[in-house]
Amino acid sequence: TQLLEQSPQFLSIQEGENLTVYCNSSSVFSSLQWYRQEPGEGPVLLVTVVTGGEVKKLKRLTFQFGDARKDSSLHITAAQPGDTGLYLCAGLESYSGAGSYQLTFGKGTKLSVIP
Amino acid sequence: EPEVTQTPSHQVTQMGQEVILRCVPISNHLYFYWYRQILGQKVEFLVSFYNNEISEKSEIFDDQFSVERPDGSNFTLKIRSTKLEDSAMYFCASRADRGPSYGYTFGSGTRLTVV
């Protein structure tokens, strides 16, 4: 199982500001998935990036997969209080011979957007 | 929006007792998973299940744990003799397919407290 490091661990910003959170590993992943988790709830999938250098946009959220498929970033433009939550990155790695994948989570970035 | 349903939402049990956590995955999904999250820690993989058998399991998933899909709709996680350290949120997840572009749909979780 490979490690995913997320930074920053905590982020508190004012409404309207931009922010970027990072997800880094020394290992190559088949894909990188970003989830958002509310307290007491399960992770909810935001996006999956598969190709190195891939950029996906989801309204004010921009996700990028590093060229080497080892890292990813999430950029939020003009943050809103509704963006408050725990953002998790998760790397999908394959098991050779088994044809199956395992999803490994980072510890998350806890974002707080202050009105 | 199809969802993964988990019951119960909360379970309190005495140490040494058996517990069964239940999940109804999305109906046309083929791959099923259990993850757990100890309070304040990251989401950890327990086991994956496909075609009525375990395809992968983590070191956490020892002989005290078992999974089954008894009737084609429910997917259960059994802990035979619970320990205090089994206290955690347990999440069931399912996927339509195993390729890297497929995301996971997680349930809302069962909060297990072992006393």
Side-chain angles (χ1 to χ4, degrees):
Chain A
T1 301
Q2 309 303 332
L3 289 177
L4 276 167
E5 300 290 336
Q6 285 190 247
S7 61
Q9 192 175 352
F10 299 96
L11 186 57
S12 181
I13 62 169
Q14 294 289 329
E15 180 177 359
E17 292 183 347
N18 302 332
L19 67 112
T20 303
V21 300
Y22 300 93
C23 176
N24 295 292
S25 175
S26 58
S27 304
V28 176
F29 290 100
S30 300
S31 70
L32 221 296
Q33 303 183 358
W34 284 90
Y35 292 80
R36 178 172 163 175
Q37 186 179 25
E38 302 298 335
E41 297 289 325
V44 175
L45 180 68
L46 296 174
V47 79
T48 300
V49 284
V50 181
T51 307
E54 183 177 2
V55 176
K56 279 192 175 177
K57 292 194 173 186
L58 190 66
K59 297 183 181 178
R60 292 176 293 100
L61 279 60
T62 301
F63 304 86
Q64 184 162 9
F65 201 11
D67 291 340
R69 293 176 24 236
K70 294 181 179 181
D71 54 84
S72 182
S73 63
L74 158 60
H75 182 80
I76 301 179
T77 304
Q80 305 290 315
D83 295 328
T84 295
L86 181 66
Y87 291 84
L88 302 170
C89 71
L92 196 65
E93 51 184 330
S94 63
Y95 281 82
S96 58
S100 62
Y101 293 86
Q102 182 174 317
L103 193 67
T104 300
F105 281 86
K107 288 187 176 180
T109 292
K110 192 166 185 180
L111 172 65
S112 177
V113 181
I114 302 164
Chain B
E1 182 93 25
E3 59 181 28
V4 173
T5 305
Q6 289 187 245
T7 55
S9 56
H10 293 87
Q11 174 94 47
V12 181
T13 188
Q14 289 201 324
M15 190 170 54
Q17 294 295 304
E18 175 183 286
V19 293
I20 297 176
L21 310 184
R22 302 181 191 280
C23 169
V24 179
I26 293 174
S27 60
N28 63 345
H29 283 189
L30 301 175
Y31 296 82
F32 314 111
Y33 307 85
W34 284 100
Y35 282 76
R36 80 171 185 188
Q37 187 176 31
I38 295 171
L39 186 64
Q41 299 188 22
K42 64 180 181 179
V43 179
E44 300 175 290
F45 169 74
L46 291 178
V47 66
S48 59
F49 191 86
Y50 169 70
N51 200 26
N52 280 321
E53 61 182 21
I54 291 173
S55 45
E56 299 291 344
K57 59 182 181 179
S58 71
E59 293 174 354
I60 303 168
F61 195 87
D62 62 22
D63 292 343
Q64 293 300 312
F65 291 87
S66 62
V67 289
E68 64 175 1
R69 196 151 187 256
D71 57 13
S73 62
N74 292 286
F75 179 49
T76 62
L77 174 69
K78 181 193 291 186
I79 309 175
R80 286 190 189 81
S81 178
T82 50
K83 303 188 279 283
L84 294 176
E85 54 264 38
D86 293 329
S87 295
M89 281 287 283
Y90 287 81
F91 295 108
C92 173
S94 68
R95 290 173 92 200
D97 203 337
R98 67 182 183 192
S101 63
Y102 289 87
Y104 290 58
T105 302
F106 285 84
S108 295
T110 293
R111 181 176 296 283
L112 177 65
T113 302
V114 182
V115 297

